[in-house]
Amino acid sequence: MAAHDLELAALVAATGDKHAFGQLVERHQTLVRAMLTRITGNHALADDLAQDAFIKAFRKIGTFSGKGSFKSWLCRIAYTEFLQAVRKRKAALGAMERYKAHQEIEHSEAKWDSGDAMDLDRALAQLSEVERSLIVLCFSSGMSHAEASEITGLPLGTVKSHINRGKAKMKALLEEKEAVTV
Amino acid sequence: MMTPEDGFDARLSTAFEKADALIEQDERFTQRVENKLGNALNPRLMVVGGAGASGSALAASQLERLAEGVQFNNAILIQIFDTLGTQSIVAIVFALMAGSFAAVLQGRRI
């Protein structure tokens, strides 16, 4: 039977076992990479940030109290990595802005389909950074509003407002696209 | 009763589910992270290690003076002291201190 996240985290904290941590990486890498891909809109940048986030998680694993889920703790580290990258790496931010601009001028004739990742990313690119991050945390990573509040450090009421505003924008964008393509 | 908002939430969740499914499990990613863990030098560990080593060196430099002033009553200790000499004993004590320090650091993530 596969060990629970908490057991593996405790083992890593006690012994520094890299292979046990490898199991945690294997288990959560798609969640973290998907979250960062949707937030940054850039696969390569997301993978770099995800890698840094896992390395930081390994170093800080002793601070994981086990009160919340390991997934939520990890997402918090990944989100912090993203914020730090945005603040510190001007080049990364420039790449994101260029990508966003590219998204804005790019037109597609295809009708919006819920399975179309490109269209989803295009709609996400229209949101503010905070709205996008919160929508991704709640709809992609499966976090509750309370968990998203803890991860981003924003008050719960603010989180709900941003999510509602983000959803409304996305709904309008997607409906507008559908109206054009019908 | 399902509201229009609930309907859009479900649609959005499905959209993310399908988009995220395109991001596949990557064994090389796990491997890269594991390799980086082996090579990663923790800056705090280096600072603490450096400070500890400097402290040990300073302490050891005082040991020789301390050892010279000590008078042993035990015949075995006197014999060991005479055979090895002050410098060798200080070197051994210093090695033990450095070894203990390394052993402690190895098992701890700072």
Side-chain angles (χ1 to χ4, degrees):
Chain A
M1 196 179 81
H4 193 271
D5 281 355
L6 289 177
E7 292 164 358
L8 282 173
L11 178 66
V12 176
T15 63
D17 188 332
K18 287 169 195 155
H19 293 296
F21 189 75
Q23 284 184 55
L24 288 168
V25 176
E26 209 169 304
R27 202 174 283 180
H28 297 288
Q29 60 150 293
T30 50
L31 171 95
V32 176
R33 286 168 56 225
M35 174 193 140
L36 290 167
T37 300
R38 297 276 96 81
I39 293 178
T40 62
N42 183 317
H43 282 281
L45 176 61
D47 272 12
D48 283 350
L49 291 177
Q51 191 172 289
D52 291 346
F54 277 112
I55 291 168
K56 195 164 275 183
F58 179 74
R59 286 177 184 161
K60 293 174 69 176
I61 204 153
T63 66
F64 173 58
S65 62
K67 282 178 186 167
S69 69
F70 182 77
K71 194 174 92 168
S72 161
W73 181 77
L74 196 56
C75 284
R76 187 177 189 171
I77 292 175
Y79 182 69
T80 308
E81 278 300 305
F82 162 70
L83 288 182
Q84 283 176 354
V86 168
R87 284 180 197 140
K88 287 179 185 172
R89 288 192 234 164
K90 290 262 169 84
L93 183 61
M96 275 177 66
E97 291 304 319
R98 283 197 295 279
Y99 178 80
K100 206 172 161 183
H102 174 70
Q103 297 282 18
E104 280 167 7
I105 56 168
E106 192 181 349
H107 294 283
S108 169
E109 292 303 313
K111 184 178 174 176
W112 189 78
D113 171 40
S114 62
D116 192 335
M118 285 295 285
D119 286 332
L120 182 69
D121 287 338
R122 204 167 292 147
L124 282 170
Q126 307 296 317
L127 307 184
S128 72
E129 188 187 296
V130 178
E131 288 166 354
R132 187 168 60 246
S133 301
L134 288 167
I135 290 275
V136 169
L137 282 171
C138 294
F139 287 91
S140 170
S141 310
M143 298 292 155
S144 66
H145 288 184
E147 283 173 319
S149 161
E150 199 179 309
I151 289 168
T152 57
L154 294 169
L156 186 58
T158 311
V159 166
K160 286 179 180 173
S161 303
H162 280 305
I163 287 174
N164 286 336
R165 211 173 300 138
K167 271 195 313 188
K169 278 188 196 173
M170 284 191 85
K171 194 176 180 188
L173 284 163
L174 299 171
E175 282 175 355
E176 189 186 327
K177 184 169 171 57
E178 279 177 358
V180 169
T181 51
V182 165
Chain B
M1 197 180 83
M2 199 175 185
T3 64
E5 200 179 329
D6 292 337
F8 184 70
D9 281 8
R11 186 182 172 187
L12 207 52
S13 295
T14 308
F16 273 111
E17 209 170 288
K18 288 184 178 175
D20 291 346
L22 298 173
I23 295 168
E24 291 171 345
Q25 186 82 11
D26 185 355
E27 278 180 30
R28 285 172 303 174
F29 178 86
T30 308
Q31 200 58 54
R32 276 201 304 275
V33 172
E34 278 193 46
N35 290 342
K36 287 252 178 184
L37 296 180
N39 300 330
L41 281 174
N42 188 335
R44 288 185 67 190
L45 185 73
M46 290 177 74
V47 170
V48 174
S54 305
S56 298
L58 268 174
S61 69
Q62 302 302 313
L63 275 177
E64 191 170 347
R65 204 182 303 162
L66 184 72
E68 278 168 354
V70 174
Q71 297 294 321
F72 293 110
N73 292 326
N74 188 307
I76 298 170
L77 282 176
I78 291 168
Q79 197 175 348
I80 289 172
F81 212 84
D82 287 344
T83 310
L84 295 176
T86 313
Q87 282 187 341
S88 302
I89 290 174
V90 168
I92 290 167
V93 172
F94 182 70
L96 284 172
M97 282 167 68
S100 309
F101 194 71
V104 170
L105 277 185
Q106 191 188 22
R108 291 189 70 85
R109 196 168 301 98
I110 298 168

